[in-house]
Amino acid sequence: MIWLLNILETLLFVAAAPLFSGWIQWLKCLAQNRKPPPLWQPYRDLAKLFRKETLVAEQASWIFYTAPYIGFSVAVLVAAIVPLIWVGLPSAAIADVIVLVGFFGLARFFQALAGLDIGTAFGGMGSSREMTIASLAEPALLMAVFTLAVSASTTNLSAAIEYHLAHPHAIRPSYVFAGLALMLVAIAEAGRIPVDNPATHLELTMIHEAMILEYSGRHLALIEWATQIRLMIYGVLLANVFFPWGIAQSFEFAVLLEAIAAIALKLMILSMILVASETLLAKMRLFRVSQYLGFAYFLGTLGMLIHIVVEVGP
Amino acid sequence: MLKDSADRLRHELADQSKNLWLSGKALAAQNTVATGALAIAAAALAGYALWAGARISMLLAALSVILALASSVVSIGADRNSFLLRHTAFVLLGLSGLCGVLGGGTAMLARVEITGEFPLGLPWLAWHLRLDALSGFFLAVIGLALVAVSLFGPNYVREYEHGRRSLALLGIATGVFVAGMELVLLADDAFFFMIAWELMSVSSYFLVAYEHEQAANRRAAFLYLLMAEAGALFIILAFGVLAAFSEGFTFSAMREASPAPVWTSIAFTLGLIGFGMKAGIMPLHAWLPEAHPVAPSHISALMSGVMLKVAVYGLIRFSFDLLDSLHWQWGIAVLVLGSASAVLGVLYALMQNNLKRLLAYSSVENIGIIFMGLGLSMVFYSTGHPHLGALGMVAALYHTLNHALFKSLLFLSAGTILHQTHESDCERMGGLIHSMPRTAIIFLIGCLSIAALPPFNGFVSEWLTFQAALQATALSSGVLRSFVPVTAAMLALTGGLSAACFVRVYGVVFLGRPRSRHVRHAHGTSSKTMLAGPGLLALLCVFFGILPAPMVRLLEGIPYQLTGQLLPSRHTLGWLWLTPVSPETASYAAPLVLLAILLAWVVSFKLLQPRGKAVSIRRGEPWDCGFGGLTSRMQYTGTAFAMPFRRLFAQSFDVEEMLDEHPPDAQNKRAARLIYHLHIGDRFWRWLYEPVANAIWRVSRQVARIQTGHIRTYLSYSFLTLIVLLWVISR
């Protein structure tokens, strides 16, 4: 029964991810004085891509076919682990937050290999840049996560959120730093401005898009969907770990409804911050990204030190 | 007349091919016989081991050494008859490995502690032998790699059959090398330990120098010998300090001794330098990327996969077992050295273009990760958290096993590539996934494992190391508490960089288009055993990644024997789950995660197909910007892939970039040819090795003044020295 609910929650997560992207798109258009597409535009795009013929480069090997499936499966797995509306997920125990980061790494590994598989300059360029950014983002991400893990003394996401719900009035300055660090890393990992621009196809600035340039049809649809799920995962992580209010701790219908409303509201607010930064900032040069991520790492480390100095009793 | 000779030629050719076919058939028969014998012997040994229980483990370990020596003896005749090396010596080595796995495995299972004496050695000091869980584990690790190497080797050494090099030397040195490593693990006194250590070092020198025609290889071998001997001197000194405080050279006497903290610290520092030099820890790693690539590939696999582990064994035995107590400062030193080795090792690996050299630098990285686990373990033990210390040690040992598996796999696969393409430069490979599909899958598993990605084995050991580091809040000192998590972040950086490094390796070697003629015409190896060696290791990589809990339970016995402590959590959730600290703190169930991923895969594959239409995938040209005609030279190269890293971490390298512009030709005023030179040097050469080498030169020039060239002067020097020494002793 519990597992069934878990699967239902995962399905909700996966199904809602394009809506979240559509919402960000809608908000961004409004902020930039453009006419927004309808909220369900991402669903239409996905449906169109799924129907289209799939074109594969001549010298592509099986790595090229399997990478989108691995990426999508990993995104679904992680969506199953991250608590969306209900905190007592049984699946959170099978993989903790380090495993989650590791599986994102697995998906990225295959995607970067697929970029090199077709033997063009674009693919290799995208893979190289993606791996550069990822290898710098990973320590910053883990440092932010470790601050949480150490204060709740667990790397299990559900347990960490439960711990914070149990101590609602503790003031933790370390969280401000960890939260900021996680936000910066999330922008880099999700490939948003100012690190990468998902809407560009200019060869000098492409990062993620260069890597997946040769994909089409069903494969591209899976990749796009996985990207949307990943963006939402980072949003939900930020929303539920740092602001766990409203998340359901029991199965009553009213409580669950309330939880859905709460997470929707939190994600809406978060996406406003994202839209504001995407509208106000320009994309950075590639070699500035290391400073950006270095700053995120620095914030994470500061959060850890503050936790150790201020929040741990003698 | 022409027609005649053509006919004759054709007949001869037909005869020859018939002969070849016959001999091939005979060879195949021999192969089958050898494999059958191996299987029967293995079954018999396994049965006997199970029947006799723990007592047998020492016998098996001894048998393993004897078989290795036997393979050495057998190969004396290999120059005249290569059959001896390929089908007898390697079978003996394989049996030796099997005995090692069984003996070591039973020793670990039963947590035995068997001692023995061997009536050889000095009149007052027989050779002491001891087998416990720790040496059993390392024996089993050697055994696993040895089995894979013995499957791979027979076909690989074919290349050397018709050369000028001696096959006998290869066989003899390999046997002695393996026996030396196994004896190091079994030694129970300092004297015997050093003899075994030197057997291992000197015999491997001959293996590194095996392809001695090139001056670079001779230079590498000399550097290796030099550093191995310097390291051995440090180890002798370390044992000397302990021996001065105990009643003799046996390890049991050293365990009893309790010198002052100053002296244990001196002994530890000497031991750390000595063992660290052999393990290839930065900055004492300079020999490793020189020596490992030039040895024959199956030897590189043994050296990188196993010999470095013997040095790790030495450090664990010396510091956790022989030394009286541990200090947290040592743990910090090991942790810092480990972190530096891990990050710098992988950065240097990212910059290499020679495949085997790259793998050698990546060994430096992995030894760094092992040292991080050991450092954490020392910090926790010395501050009174023995359970967490056990966790750190289990993490380090698990990574030891994993690194032995995937590094041997990668070196053997690199050997296969070298064997099939005669190419060692990554920049001249490409597209091998089409011509060598099976090697490609095996190599991919190795890459995924070494990049610490779930659900493969490398991830499990890094995960355990992370869990150990995150328990830093248990420490009472604020400095330690804030320092330890930072090393965890260094480990995360290492993980990210090694993923980038192995994406680059796999992408440039196996994917894309072939970059040279040899590689374009390469084809996969036809030999099943040559694939079986790395294939076996790949299976083990997957197995230890998906089902880590039984192995962790087995490894627990080692810290238990050394310090009497088990892991904090006693596997509360069963064999599917890994819960090192407690189920609430962290848990990882790889089989369930894998199940979930497969479920998601199947659902996405089945449900998301377009309805009523067959799956249509059309092949087409990739996007070429409308110019047409993509060639293999337009691909991204490995050097280009690594460029962002070269720029971001510029301080770590000595980069020399140069553009050679050849003079323009008269007609079109453009440079005729542009040649780009890039050389990335190891910073430590300039910082450490060159100053030391220069200092030694200066000193030796001063010392050279007493050289007169007359024998009577030298005799008088010797006489005076003897007198002085006698005076010192008799005083």
Side-chain angles (χ1 to χ4, degrees):
Chain A
M1 179 62 192
I2 287 177
W3 285 98
L4 197 68
L5 275 170
N6 200 335
I7 290 174
L8 277 179
E9 192 188 63
T10 312
L11 288 180
L12 178 70
F13 201 125
V14 172
L19 184 68
F20 181 55
S21 291
W23 161 254
I24 291 175
Q25 189 65 33
W26 191 79
L27 215 59
K28 202 171 156 183
C29 284
L30 281 188
Q32 299 175 351
N33 278 332
R34 291 185 283 144
K35 191 162 179 282
L39 274 179
W40 51 88
Q41 185 62 34
Y43 292 103
R44 283 183 181 169
D45 291 342
L46 287 181
K48 179 188 75 186
L49 285 173
F50 271 118
R51 277 196 305 271
K52 281 207 155 190
E53 184 188 37
T54 310
L55 203 62
V56 169
E58 271 157 357
Q59 56 280 341
S61 65
W62 56 270
I63 300 246
F64 190 82
Y65 304 123
T66 38
Y69 289 99
I70 292 178
F72 185 74
S73 312
V74 162
V76 172
L77 171 80
V78 177
I81 296 167
V82 176
L84 178 69
I85 49 175
W86 169 53
V87 70
L89 289 183
S91 62
I94 68 170
D96 68 350
V97 69
I98 303 172
V99 180
L100 185 152
V101 174
F103 269 103
F104 272 147
L106 180 77
R108 194 185 307 115
F109 193 92
F110 272 94
Q111 203 62 72
L113 282 185
L116 287 162
D117 194 16
I118 35 178
T120 64
F122 279 135
M125 189 179 70
S127 303
S128 164
R129 291 177 176 178
E130 176 98 356
M131 293 313 286
T132 309
I133 291 177
S135 62
L136 296 175
E138 205 159 301
L141 174 63
L142 282 179
M143 208 65 211
V145 166
F146 285 167
T147 308
L148 294 172
V150 166
S151 70
S153 64
T154 174
T155 51
N156 178 328
L157 271 177
S158 270
I161 293 174
E162 271 169 356
Y163 174 84
H164 295 148
L165 283 173
H167 304 81
H169 300 300
I171 296 172
R172 293 195 181 82
S174 64
Y175 274 30
V176 179
F177 291 90
L180 279 176
L182 191 60
M183 207 182 271
L184 291 181
V185 173
I187 286 173
E189 290 261 12
R192 312 294 297 198
I193 293 172
V195 175
D196 188 9
N197 185 354
T200 185
H201 281 97
L202 201 66
E203 32 307 47
L204 291 179
T205 56
M206 280 191 288
I207 297 176
H208 185 75
E209 288 298 313
M211 194 168 63
I212 59 166
L213 198 63
E214 285 299 320
Y215 276 108
S216 59
R218 205 168 62 246
H219 295 155
L220 184 61
L222 285 174
I223 291 174
E224 295 278 322
W225 200 350
T227 312
Q228 288 160 358
I229 296 173
R230 216 166 58 171
L231 180 66
M232 178 142 152
I233 284 168
Y234 280 111
V236 171
L237 264 185
L238 276 169
N240 276 350
V241 173
F242 290 97
F243 312 100
W245 316 303
I247 196 164
Q249 285 171 294
S250 63
F251 291 131
E252 286 152 54
F253 188 64
V255 177
L256 285 179
L257 267 188
E258 198 180 301
I260 291 178
I263 185 71
L265 192 72
K266 283 187 275 187
L267 284 180
M268 274 179 181
I269 295 170
L270 261 182
S271 51
M272 279 175 199
I273 301 174
L274 181 69
V275 164
S277 83
E278 291 211 337
T279 308
L280 296 175
L281 296 174
K283 189 184 163 304
M284 275 186 285
R285 281 197 305 127
L286 182 66
F287 287 101
R288 291 286 295 278
V289 174
S290 68
Q291 290 171 21
Y292 170 91
L293 288 171
F295 181 62
Y297 172 75
F298 176 69
L299 282 179
T301 313
L302 263 186
M304 174 69 86
L305 289 182
I306 287 173
H307 170 74
I308 280 163
V309 175
V310 179
E311 293 163 21
V312 178
Chain B
M1 203 188 118
L2 241 166
K3 194 168 169 273
D4 256 26
S5 62
D7 262 3
R8 215 172 47 234
L9 199 70
R10 208 168 52 230
H11 276 296
E12 270 177 17
L13 274 179
D15 270 3
Q16 263 184 12
S17 64
K18 201 175 165 193
N19 278 344
L20 265 178
W21 183 77
L22 278 178
S23 64
K25 210 174 157 190
L27 256 183
Q30 282 159 6
N31 246 334
T32 335
V33 169
T35 325
L38 202 84
I40 291 170
L45 275 177
Y48 187 58
L50 283 180
W51 174 74
R55 280 166 297 147
I56 199 66
S57 53
M58 189 64 172
L59 194 64
L60 280 169
L63 195 60
S64 172
V65 177
I66 292 167
L67 282 167
L69 287 174
S71 96
S72 183
V73 171
V74 161
S75 17
I76 291 174
D79 272 341
R80 230 165 299 151
N81 186 359
S82 68
F83 177 84
L84 276 178
L85 176 65
R86 291 197 9 238
H87 295 282
T88 317
F90 274 113
V91 171
L92 288 173
L93 274 184
L95 285 175
S96 159
L98 219 53
C99 289
V101 173
L102 292 174
T106 41
M108 274 167 79
L109 266 176
R111 293 179 192 166
V112 290
E113 222 170 284
I114 306 167
T115 51
E117 268 187 38
F118 196 56
L120 259 179
L122 297 181
W124 48 273
L125 184 67
W127 289 355
H128 292 74
L129 299 173
R130 183 165 184 266
L131 182 67
D132 59 5
L134 179 64
S135 41
F137 167 69
F138 280 87
L139 197 63
V141 168
I142 293 183
L144 280 177
L146 207 55
V147 169
V149 163
S150 68
L151 286 171
F152 174 87
N155 258 291
Y156 186 75
V157 297
R158 278 202 149 153
E159 196 158 324
Y160 301 116
E161 259 176 15
H162 305 295
R164 285 174 297 134
R165 303 177 193 120
S166 160
L167 281 183
L169 177 67
L170 184 64
I172 294 170
T174 311
V176 174
F177 173 51
V178 170
M181 290 194 292
E182 290 175 338
L183 286 177
V184 168
L185 303 181
L186 296 178
D188 197 32
D189 63 77
F191 190 69
F192 184 36
F193 186 95
M194 287 319 297
I195 288 178
W197 187 267
E198 290 297 333
L199 268 184
M200 169 180 92
S201 294
V202 175
S203 58
S204 53
Y205 162 75
F206 287 106
L207 294 169
V208 173
Y210 186 61
E211 296 178 17
H212 54 84
E213 292 84 2
Q214 283 143 12
N217 295 1
R218 290 197 298 272
R219 185 176 162 269
F222 178 70
L223 179 69
Y224 170 59
L225 190 65
L226 187 71
M227 292 194 65
E229 290 311 310
L233 280 181
F234 278 103
I235 299 172
I236 290 176
L237 288 177
F239 279 133
V241 171
L242 282 194
F245 289 94
S246 53
E247 323 257 306
F249 285 111
T250 58
F251 284 173
S252 51
M254 289 182 183
R255 268 181 215 115
E256 304 295 315
S258 49
V262 183
W263 284 107
T264 47
S265 289
I266 291 175
F268 175 77
T269 313
L270 290 169
L272 181 63
I273 295 174
F275 291 116
M277 213 173 239
K278 194 70 177 173
I281 203 82
M282 289 235 176
L284 305 173
H285 67 287
W287 61 274
L288 204 152
E290 305 294 327
H292 286 199
V294 302
S297 293
H298 63 293
I299 302 298
S300 319
L302 280 182
M303 285 180 71
S304 228
V306 181
M307 188 185 75
L308 305 182
K309 307 300 159 355
V310 175
V312 171
Y313 163 81
L315 186 71
I316 295 179
R317 174 68 76 202
F318 188 76
S319 44
F320 285 87
D321 192 12
L322 299 189
L323 286 180
D324 180 40
S325 56
L326 291 164
H327 298 283
W328 63 266
Q329 291 91 339
W330 305 353
I332 291 293
V334 173
L335 207 51
V336 168
L337 282 177
S339 313
S341 300
V343 173
L344 288 174
V346 69
L347 275 177
Y348 278 112
L350 245 173
M351 297 299 136
Q352 305 305 316
N353 281 331
N354 180 320
L355 185 54
K356 281 170 76 179
R357 204 177 150 84
L358 184 153
L359 293 176
Y361 265 119
S362 134
S363 290
V364 175
E365 172 220 334
N366 282 284
I367 290 291
I369 295 174
I370 294 172
F371 268 54
M372 285 167 94
L374 288 181
L376 286 173
S377 176
M378 284 179 191
V379 167
F380 284 126
Y381 272 126
S382 58
T383 48
H385 301 278
H387 292 293
L388 297 175
L391 176 59
M393 185 182 276
V394 165
L397 291 172
Y398 206 88
H399 200 73
T400 306
L401 169 70
N402 292 340
H403 182 241
L405 294 176
F406 51 62
K407 193 45 68 67
S408 306
L409 182 166
L410 290 171
F411 264 115
L412 292 182
S413 302
T416 312
I417 297 170
L418 191 67
H419 191 255
Q420 301 301 119
T421 65
H422 298 282
E423 204 54 82
S424 61
D425 184 1
C426 288
E427 299 288 35
R428 296 172 62 78
M429 298 182 195
L432 285 175
I433 195 170
H434 301 292
S435 49
M436 306 171 76
R438 279 174 292 185
T439 306
I441 290 180
I442 292 171
F443 200 86
L444 181 65
I445 291 176
C447 286
L448 290 165
S449 310
I450 201 169
L453 293 171
F456 295 91
N457 60 353
F459 177 75
V460 177
S461 43
E462 281 203 19
W463 188 77
L464 288 173
T465 315
F466 275 131
Q467 293 300 343
L470 285 182
Q471 300 308 312
T473 32
L475 298 168
S476 53
S477 147
V479 179
L480 281 182
R481 228 167 27 196
S482 47
F483 179 77
V484 169
V486 174
T487 58
M490 297 300 269
L491 185 59
L493 178 64
T494 311
L497 288 173
S498 73
C501 177
F502 282 90
V503 162
R504 171 179 180 266
V505 173
Y506 198 80
V508 174
V509 172
F510 282 97
L511 305 177
R513 298 162 194 262
R515 292 177 173 84
S516 66
R517 203 169 50 84
H518 281 312
V519 173
R520 195 170 308 125
H521 300 301
H523 50 89
T525 166
S526 54
S527 147
K528 285 207 180 75
T529 51
M530 207 164 171
L531 282 170
L536 173 76
L537 295 173
L539 278 181
L540 288 174
C541 279
V542 175
F543 176 78
F544 286 127
I546 294 177
L547 283 177
M551 193 65 210
V552 168
R553 188 172 286 201
L554 204 55
L555 285 179
E556 240 183 353
I558 295 169
Y560 181 71
Q561 229 173 32
L562 291 179
T563 59
Q565 292 293 346
L566 289 164
L567 287 189
S569 149
R570 300 286 289 118
H571 310 283
T572 31
L573 294 178
W575 57 275
L576 276 180
W577 297 76
L578 204 55
T579 49
V581 186
S582 73
E584 292 79 35
T585 309
S587 51
Y588 173 39
L592 295 180
V593 173
L594 205 62
L595 195 72
I597 286 217
L598 284 181
L599 198 70
W601 190 322
V602 169
V603 168
S604 63
F605 199 78
K606 286 280 172 210
L607 284 189
L608 300 176
Q609 300 286 3
R611 302 222 184 285
K613 242 196 318 184
V615 186
S616 61
I617 289 180
R618 188 155 63 84
R619 291 278 182 168
E621 292 253 316
W623 172 238
D624 53 15
C625 302
F627 286 101
L630 285 174
T631 70
S632 64
R633 305 234 336 149
M634 295 177 188
Q635 294 175 88
Y636 229 51
T637 59
T639 313
F641 191 96
M643 185 280 217
F645 297 96
R646 198 164 67 233
R647 200 164 147 180
L648 289 178
F649 298 93
Q651 285 92 9
S652 325
F653 312 110
D654 270 346
V655 183
E656 280 174 43
E657 260 178 310
M658 211 165 54
L659 201 60
D660 252 1
E661 219 168 313
H662 281 249
D665 55 2
Q667 272 107 41
N668 47 19
K669 301 278 182 216
R670 275 189 308 179
R673 230 147 60 102
L674 283 176
I675 300 174
Y676 172 66
H677 298 280
L678 175 69
H679 179 77
I680 295 161
D682 202 320
R683 272 253 150 132
F684 288 100
W685 274 106
R686 199 153 54 82
W687 284 352
L688 181 68
Y689 290 87
E690 281 172 16
V692 168
N694 289 340
I696 289 176
W697 269 118
R698 269 199 301 280
V699 170
S700 49
R701 244 179 250 124
Q702 296 296 322
V703 171
R705 287 184 185 184
I706 63 168
Q707 285 183 333
T708 57
H710 298 295
I711 189 94
R712 54 176 184 275
T713 334
Y714 296 149
L715 282 177
S716 55
Y717 288 153
S718 315
F719 182 68
L720 278 175
T721 315
L722 268 179
I723 296 287
V724 170
L725 282 180
L726 276 177
W727 177 72
V728 167
I729 289 172
S730 60
R731 197 162 60 99

